[in-house]
Amino acid sequence: MLEISRSFLNASVTLTAERLGRDIAITIYGGDGPHIGAVAVAVPYRKGERLSVSTSTLCVPGHKEGDLARSVAEDVAKRHEVIVSATCGIHYEGIAREAIPELCALVMEMASQL
């Protein structure tokens, strides 16, 4: 299993990745209250020479991690051509809207290290 942690707004954000046969299960959590907010599953497939990905996302009502889970799952599935699940739950109490894109960029950078 691979684990990557980074500090963001005085708390840590962690990404773990584990091989399940050929596939990859990713968990992203952190902030003030780690939890399960969304799960995305990306399945790569080829149409001729073109690589595409079919993704399903399930979000817990009231949570906003769906887009991030989807982005991570799709990115890793395309790069490695394997099925990827990404579970995401990051909570920062009172986070400023302006900090959210920075947090998402950090998570995508962590995922790129896989």
Side-chain angles (χ1 to χ4, degrees), residues 24-51:
I24 300 173
I26 297 170
T27 306
I28 306 152
Y29 59 93
D32 303 326
H35 60 282
I36 296 173
V39 178
V41 177
V43 181
Y45 64 95
R46 289 208 170 265
K47 277 188 167 181
E49 292 297 313
R50 183 175 178 209
L51 179 64

Side-chain angles (χ1 to χ4, degrees), residues 5-16:
S5 289
R6 298 285 184 271
S7 180
F8 186 80
L9 297 179
N10 299 318
S12 66
V13 175
T14 301
L15 181 149
T16 64

